[in-house]
Every structure is written in structure tokens, then in C-alpha cells.
Amino acid sequence: MTSAKTFPAAAPPKFASIGSPYFGIMLAVMAVVLILSNIGAAKGVAIGPIITDGGFFLFPLAYILGDVISEVYGFKVARKAIFTTFALSVFASLCYWIIIALPGFDDDFGAAKQAALEGALGPVPQIVLASLLAFLAGQTINSWILVRMKARTGEKSLWARIMGSSVAGEFVDTLIFCSIAASVIGISDVGMFVNYVLVGFVYKTGVEFLFVPLTSLVIGWIKKREPSYGAVTAATP
């Protein structure tokens, strides 16, 4: 009678602790990028037949940073970065509301400045809500898939982890965000909405794919300089 063939258990994925300055820098950049994206997203942008918003060129950077944090520090730290980023985004939105509500000068210049502030920052709370739900869901899925794949492949196939997690995360993010934010930026019919969703998803995913080589280099650079990388292991989320 032959015995069943056994395979060695896969080693737990390696991560780093957050004691070094690298995580703090990336978290700060992610928060700034998201806050600026929320402001820019209040403006609808039409480039020929393409419908998008004013934050389109910034937002993919937040996902790239999310990939780096997930790969180097793991799912729990990435989740902490997501919640911290959105707490700061909500705080920024509250500040905009207070600034708009404060009494201004009664002259023509003061009235013009008030109208400009209301036009630029007034829709931001709804944009923040859209981003909060979309980014929370999309980034959580993105991070979860990346870390799950890392548990299977170890340090190999980084490009596959980045690309595979990005497709799922960006689709969920784009669909949720566009569904809530479309009315704020002036999208009023189904055709424009479908255009908005498809352009957003294809663009964001395309940018992440384009930057996979650079993202991989940054991840490798941080891993080599992160003193604790490899000393921390975590169970698959």
C-alpha cells in the first residue's frame, strides 16, 4: 500500500513592521493625493468624447501607493492606511464646510470669493462620501487579493499580484464612486454615466499597468532598505 504524497506547507508571506519612516511618508502622500482628488473630482471634464473628472490624473497614484503598502507591510497595515487616509479626508471636508459657513466681507469682492468657494468646495462632502465608500471597498479588495496571492507565490510573480488585484479593486472603486458622484459633476443620462464608468476604470487600470515596472522597482527598493522586512509574517487575511 502506497502512502499519500505530502507537500511541504507554504511559508507564510514576509512583511515589514511600520517602525521606519517609509510607511509614514507613503501614508502622508496617499492622504494628500486623496484629498486633492476629492476636490478635483467636483469638476466634470470632457476631453473630446471622453467624460471624466478633474481628479483623474491623481487618483491612480493612491492605488499604486496602496499596492506598495500592501506588498511590504501586509493587509492589516494597509487597512490602517485606508482608514487613516479617509479620516483625514473627512476632516478636510469638515474644514471646507466651516470655511464656507464663516461670514465673509459684504463687498463685491467678498461675495465673488464666497461664490467661488461654494462652487469649488461645496460639492466636496458628497464627493468625499463617494470616495469614502468606493476607496474603502476598492482598496480593501485590492489589498486583500494582493496579500492572498502573495501567500501562494511568496516573493515571486509580483507583477501578477499588482495587476490582478488592481483590476478587481479599481472596478469596484470606479462603479461605486461614479454611481454616487455622477450627479454632482453634472452627468445626467445613462450614456454619459456608462462613458464615465468605463473611461474611469480603463484609465485607472491602464495607468497602474503602465506603472507596474516602476511600482515593482519601488517595492524592491523599500524591501531592501526596510530593516524589519522578512522579520514579520502574517496569516492570510
Side-chain angles (χ1 to χ4, degrees):
M1 181 177 177
T2 58
S3 59
K5 190 174 182 179
T6 60
F7 296 92
K14 299 177 182 178
F15 299 107
S17 66
I18 58 176
S20 75
Y22 299 112
F23 172 74
I25 293 170
M26 288 188 287
L27 176 60
V29 174
M30 180 185 286
V32 170
V33 166
L34 188 61
I35 290 170
L36 292 176
S37 296
N38 289 340
I39 296 173
K43 176 180 179 178
V45 173
I47 305 174
I50 296 174
I51 304 296
T52 184
D53 58 62
F56 79 95
F57 66 98
L58 279 169
F59 196 75
L61 178 57
Y63 261 82
I64 291 171
L65 289 167
D67 286 338
V68 176
I69 291 172
S70 299
E71 173 68 21
V72 176
Y73 300 99
F75 180 72
K76 289 184 178 179
V77 174
R79 187 171 55 191
K80 181 184 294 185
I82 295 167
F83 290 145
T84 302
T85 296
F86 272 96
L88 293 172
S89 185
V90 170
F91 174 71
S93 183
L94 177 62
C95 290
Y96 303 149
W97 178 79
I98 294 173
I99 291 168
I100 291 173
L102 288 171
F105 296 152
D106 294 331
D107 58 10
D108 291 341
F109 180 75
K113 292 287 288 184
Q114 178 69 17
L117 282 171
E118 291 176 359
L121 301 181
V124 165
Q126 187 168 338
I127 297 295
V128 169
L129 174 63
S131 293
L132 177 61
L133 298 177
F135 193 73
L136 184 63
Q139 268 285 16
T140 300
I141 289 171
N142 180 75
S143 178
W144 184 83
I145 291 175
L146 190 149
V147 174
R148 289 279 297 187
M149 292 178 70
K150 185 174 183 178
R152 293 176 177 270
T153 62
E155 296 296 308
K156 300 183 295 182
S157 303
L158 174 60
W159 63 271
R161 293 198 291 279
I162 295 173
M163 295 174 73
S165 61
S166 296
V167 170
E170 290 287 14
F171 178 75
V172 171
D173 183 293
T174 304
L175 184 61
I176 294 175
F177 178 82
C178 292
S179 298
I180 298 173
S183 61
V184 176
I185 69 170
I187 292 176
S188 56
D189 60 62
V190 175
M192 291 177 69
F193 176 76
V194 172
N195 187 320
Y196 187 34
V197 172
L198 290 179
V199 168
F201 172 67
V202 171
Y203 167 75
K204 293 172 187 176
T205 307
V207 169
E208 286 209 58
F209 284 7
L210 182 65
F211 278 87
V212 164
L214 180 58
T215 305
S216 300
L217 287 175
V218 171
I219 288 172
W221 188 89
I222 293 176
K223 284 180 177 179
K224 289 178 181 178
R225 287 160 178 79
E226 184 62 79
S228 64
Y229 187 76
V232 177
T233 58
T236 304

